Structure formats: structure tokens, C-alpha cells
Amino acid sequence: MPSHLLRGLRSALAVTALAAAGLAPAAAAAPAAQAAQLAARVDNPYTGAGVYVNPEWSARAAAEPGGSAVADQPTAVWLDRIAAIQGGPGAMGLRAHLDAAVTQAAGRPFVVQLVIYDLPGRDCAALASNGELGPTELPRYKAEFIDPIAAILADPAYAGLRIVNTIEIDSLPNLVTNAGGTATATPQCDTMKANGNYVNGVGYALGRLGAVPNVYNYIDAGHHGWLGWDSNLDPAVQLLHQAATSAGSTVADVQGFVVNTANYSALREPNFTIDDSVNGTSVRQSKWVDWNRYVDELGYAQAFRQRAVAAGFDAGVGMLIDTSRNGWGGAGRPAGPGPRTSVDSYVEGGRIDRRFQTGNWCNQSGAGLGERPAASPQPGIDAYVWVKPPGESDGASSRIANDEGKGFDRMCDPTYTGNARNGNQMSGALPNSPLAGHWFSAQFQELVRNAYPPLGGGSADSTAPSVPAGLRSTAVTASGVSLAWTASTDNVGVTAYDVYRGGVLVGSASTPAYSDSGLSAATAYSYTVRARDAAGNASALSAALAVTTSAGGGGGGSAGCSASYAVSSDWGAGFNANVTVTNTGTTATKSWRVTWSWSGNQQVTNLWNGGLSQSGQAVAVVDAGYNGAIAPGASAGFGFGASYSGANAAPALTCTATS
């Protein structure tokens, strides 16, 4: 019998069991035919279904500048404390959300997404997301949190909904990396591993909720920058299997796994793969990848699913990827790979995830909205989802008294550089953030600005354009080369072709032709081309073309540049800005340098697409290598975040260039 039919049969039998246990109203003990019809799960709940738009989140999003463009997107409802079940003044409870979902469904297949998140000793390796229950309060978790939720979900009024649960984010992954003698162990995680309350709590939640016929449980499985190393991935899969077969649960109660929940890891890194190497050195050896087996969430999710099935989970399990904040768009998004001068230059110059380190998790500066929610976007992936509602804070940037059990974690402090798990890098957090789960207007506006695919365009298409073919030179002089190639084909249309000279991006074209100027006479050059589409996908590089410029004449010309400065956001104690560098000379630049002096007490806290040095009020930024070459009239640039108090006047910039 197919696995999904086995799950459906088990769920049908569970209707009677729920009624007998007092968890469901007596009406749930329906005639067998009706119960079987209600209990028939599908392999992927998102297929052919609408998805619930939380009216509370939608209203907050719509009230923000530009927020109306995404206010109709479905986001998850977080049940992160006992009081959230009933709701309260100004806040909808679980029944209110389910009633609203029934109305939105209007009789069609319809998904409502919940986050089940109140384990005893919750989030043992952090402080910002600690919860209300102490490490030993498993009985309260069962009786006051899971049992009431199960009773509400079993109400026949909601039997037509497909209820998708994300089960206890961060809990089990923390036991893999932060407990039991690991270098990053914490006393709280050691306690939770020793008393078994994470494992048994997750097992209890899976069994109780999985007994409701129209519920789909997805266990949180961390992200690639957490569990992607060989030493973490298999132990994590085994621990999740242990939880799924504990406290009354079986693997039939697990419909899949969710990754990147409330995190920022890129869905795809388009400019390099784990199989790339530079001068014989693997990408795995770069400082950013650090021997990880994966470079993005899509590859990690597909691999995790295969490992889970091999470990004994149902062959029909699927994966969800939270794409709510991993778009990494905006002016700082690299247009192509970094230079092949070293593996670190190659990865650093091309990576779209612009965090200082993959362990940075709190209110990350420069992040953007990612792929919009979509069903079955890739093999093995049930859906891209927005589990973390964009605009809800990860944690407070300073200590705030509260009655929610939430502490102050220095990883939410933009000035913090002292976390060994993070390699003592900067936290990358935005300033002035509120408590976890509270609305953070500045973050929402930054996510909207940096959305990728951009708002108002793009799509969730994930098919890369075909590789540009037939690259050839149509004209060669002593100082320039004209190139042409066959146009690429693509599902959503090619928007640009990136041209690389010697592995360094030198320009882009909207049509399959490009003129490269400012070259040296009688010199050999090598060119490749990559196509990009409206959804942000990039093709592989074309075959290389070797061209030698003609003798005589020389390149000639002079080098020069100008720099313009624009603030993209300002929240009173900090701001983000972009600097555009334009080649004003008659020959291509090889490098550039921008300098200025602040008129106040501004300090750059993080910078992308350039190299930073600052001393007091003096700031100097040089190109990042991959963006040093600028053709005459063309532009490149960099962006940064900074803190300040008082006035924030724009500085006067000075730009110098070499050719």
C-alpha cells in the first residue's frame, strides 16, 4: 500500500481515538465513510491549495512604505506561548485564525501554517528566543500547550483545512551542536540533552497533533550553515528519528522537514558551487564555506531529505524552505563570481549571502525578502514558505524588561564581536530592534528594499537560462574587442548577460553583444559570458574565447572616477548607504579608491563589495578586486551600514583610479 494511504488509514482510525480521549468533540466520531474522507491526506498539502494570509501580519505589512506589494503573501501563525492559544486584547487566538482560514478557503483546498514553539527550556543556545517554560516543565508543555492545540485542531469545523505545523524550531539541532561535550556546548543545552525533554516533547507534539487527520507535521531541521558539515548532518537525522519515534509518535506522524526557519541562508548561491575549485583548491576550503558540504539551502534540503529516508522516515516526506528573508538583493548583490586569484577571493566576491558568517542569525543588516511562497518549486521540495513573518524581530538589540521569558542575546547587538561560535565576527544585527516577535519597522522596510526577486517583477521560476553559445569576436583593434554570441533561452526571459575577462566581471549587456574597450595592444585576453533571468537565476559560464588585440597604437587614454553617495535607510541611530563609483576617464580602470571624512561621529559597522579602513572620522574604501575593473562611462559600487548620533550630514567623496 502506498505510504500516503497508510498515513491516511492511520489518521482515520485516530479520529475515534481522539474522541475517546476527550481531545475532540463527540461529533469527531463521525461515520467511517465520513471520517475516511476527512482523513485522506495528500502527499504534498500545498499542491493545488490556497494558503492562509494572516490578517494581523497583513495589516502591519500594508501600513509600511512599499508593504502593500507583499501584504497578500501567506505567513505562518506562531504559537510561542500558552496565552497565544486563546489570544487576547488586540491579538487573534488559534480559533480566530482557523475561523478566518475557513472563510478565506471558501470551500477550496486550503493550507493554514502554524509554528508550534514552546518547549521547556526553549532555544537552549540563545537568549533572545527563550520561552516561558523552565527545563523541567514537560508536564505543563503537554497539558497546557500541546493538548489544547490538538483539541482545537480536531474540531470538525476545521476538518476541511490542511493544517501544516512547523514543530519546535532550533530545539533538536541545538542538541547536536551545543550539548554533550561539544566545543560550543551550553549548560542549558546539556540539561535538555540529559533530561530528554526536547526529544520527548517533540515526540509528544508529533503524536498528539499527528493524530488529527488533516494535520501535516514538519520537524525543524536547522539550516546548511548549522548542520551542513558531515559531523553534524547524520547525527541530526538520527536525533530527529529518535524524537519521531518517542512519546507515542511514529514516523507516520512526520510529513516532512523545514529548513532555514527564521534564518537568512541563501536559497541558491548562483556564482559558485561546492564542486568548484580555484588553482586546485576546493571551494570547501574557503573561509566562508569552511569545509561545509553545502553552500545553500536548496542543496542542503534535498540532501537532508535523502538522508532522512535512508534513516527510516517515510519515502514520501517532503521539505519546506523558509525564504522569507534570504533574498539578499539590492545594490550590493554581486553580479557574478569573484576573481580566480584565490579560492577566498572567488567565494567572497561572488557570494550573495552578505553576512559576516553563516552563524549570524539576529535581524541581519542588508537582508531582503526571498522567493515568494510557491508549491513544488524543486524536486523533493513541497514548498517555499514564509514561516518567519517578515518584519517580526529576532530579538532585542539591548536588554528590555518583559513578561514573555525573552532574554537579551548579544548576537542581537550590532556592536558585539565576541561570540566564539561566530568566529568573533561582527553580529551584523540591525540597531534599535525590539523583543523577538515584536514588529520591527526598520527591518521590514530594509527587507522590502533588498527583495530578490525584486518586488513588482521577477518570479519564483528556478530554471536557469541555457548557457550562452557561439561566443566570438566581431571586431578586434589595438585597444578593444567586440563580442557576440547566440541568445540564451529561458522560461521567464533573459534580462542580462554578464561578460568576464580573465574571470573578472567587466560589464553587462541586455542583448547578446558587448564591446570591451581600454585594452592593451598586442595582448591576449580570455572571455566568458553568463546569462541571468528575471527570476534571478544564472546560467553556467560559456566556453572561453581567446582574443589577442592587434599591435600598435596602445590603449592610451587616462584613468579617472567620481563617486556619489545616497542614504537608503535611516532609523535615527544608524543608517545604510550606497556609493556608486563611475569611470569618468577614457580607459578602463584596474582599481579605485574612495575617501571621505565624516562631519559628525558616524562609524561604519559593516561594508560589502569593498575593502574598508577607518581612523576616527577618516574613511577609505578600495574595490573588492572583482569590481575594480570599470569600463569608461560604466559604474560599480559598494554599500555599508553605519551608526551615529546627532546630525548625519552627507560627506564629500574623493575618488581616484588606476588603469
Side-chain angles (χ1 to χ4, degrees), residues 72-371:
D72 61 348
Q73 292 295 336
T75 57
V77 174
W78 284 55
L79 302 176
D80 60 353
R81 58 193 184 280
I82 293 168
I85 301 172
Q86 296 302 320
M92 298 170 66
L94 177 56
R95 282 193 180 276
H97 281 294
L98 294 174
D99 289 340
V102 170
T103 300
Q104 289 184 22
R108 59 183 167 144
F110 204 73
V111 169
V112 59
Q113 303 171 111
L114 307 177
V115 176
I116 309 300
Y117 187 45
D118 201 27
L119 270 180
R122 185 179 76 192
D123 207 346
C124 59
L127 297 172
S129 48
N130 286 170
E132 63 186 347
L133 301 179
T136 63
E137 294 190 276
L138 184 60
R140 281 194 68 195
Y141 176 75
K142 294 179 178 180
E144 298 180 38
F145 186 66
I146 295 300
D147 288 353
I149 292 174
I152 293 172
L153 300 188
D155 189 324
Y158 310 126
L161 298 173
R162 299 175 182 179
I163 301 171
V164 171
N165 294 324
T166 290
I167 302 295
E168 295 296 352
I169 64 173
D170 292 348
S171 59
L172 299 177
N174 268 323
L175 296 189
V176 175
T177 61
N178 300 315
T182 64
T184 55
T186 70
Q188 180 93 327
C189 290
D190 284 340
T191 295
M192 301 317 302
K193 185 170 185 177
N195 68 20
N197 284 349
Y198 274 10
V199 169
N200 290 317
V202 169
Y204 186 83
L206 290 170
R208 277 300 205 197
L209 303 177
V212 181
N214 53 313
V215 160
Y216 299 77
N217 289 324
Y218 290 77
I219 310 177
D220 182 80
H223 57 87
H224 90 276
W226 188 354
L227 301 179
W229 285 269
D230 297 332
S231 57
N232 293 342
L233 185 53
D234 283 329
V237 171
Q238 295 299 326
L239 184 62
L240 267 60
H241 188 270
Q242 178 188 349
T245 52
S246 299
S249 174
T250 75
V251 294
D253 293 309
V254 180
Q255 281 66 56
F257 308 91
V258 54
V259 301
N260 204 45
T261 310
N263 205 259
Y264 299 86
S265 293
L267 177 65
R268 291 181 300 270
E269 282 288 1
N271 297 323
F272 61 91
T273 75
I274 198 66
D275 298 318
D276 291 352
S277 63
V278 177
N279 301 325
T281 302
S282 168
V283 157
R284 292 191 70 195
Q285 295 173 253
S286 66
K287 292 178 181 178
W288 172 257
V289 178
D290 190 27
W291 293 102
N292 201 314
R293 182 66 67 181
Y294 308 98
V295 300
D296 54 32
E297 286 305 294
L298 179 58
Y300 169 72
Q302 291 171 326
F304 191 98
R305 181 186 176 281
Q306 294 175 348
R307 301 281 186 100
V309 171
F313 282 99
D314 194 292
V317 295
M319 303 296 297
L320 304 178
I321 303 178
D322 187 353
T323 60
S324 59
R325 304 183 300 178
N326 67 347
W328 295 110
R333 182 183 175 96
R340 288 184 168 271
T341 53
S342 71
V343 71
D344 285 326
S345 297
Y346 178 66
V347 171
E348 287 298 309
R351 64 181 175 93
I352 61 170
D353 184 339
R354 299 199 299 275
R355 292 177 291 176
F356 289 105
Q357 207 267 350
T358 56
N360 284 0
W361 54 268
C362 193
N363 300 323
Q364 290 299 285
S365 174
L369 302 171
E371 291 279 359

Side-chain angles (χ1 to χ4, degrees), residues 16 51 59 62 85 234 256 262 274 338 351 359 393-394 420 449 454 469 521 540 614:
T16 303
V51 188
I85 301 172
D234 283 329
I274 198 66
R351 64 181 175 93
S393 175
D394 296 320
R449 282 192 301 273
Q614 56 183 340

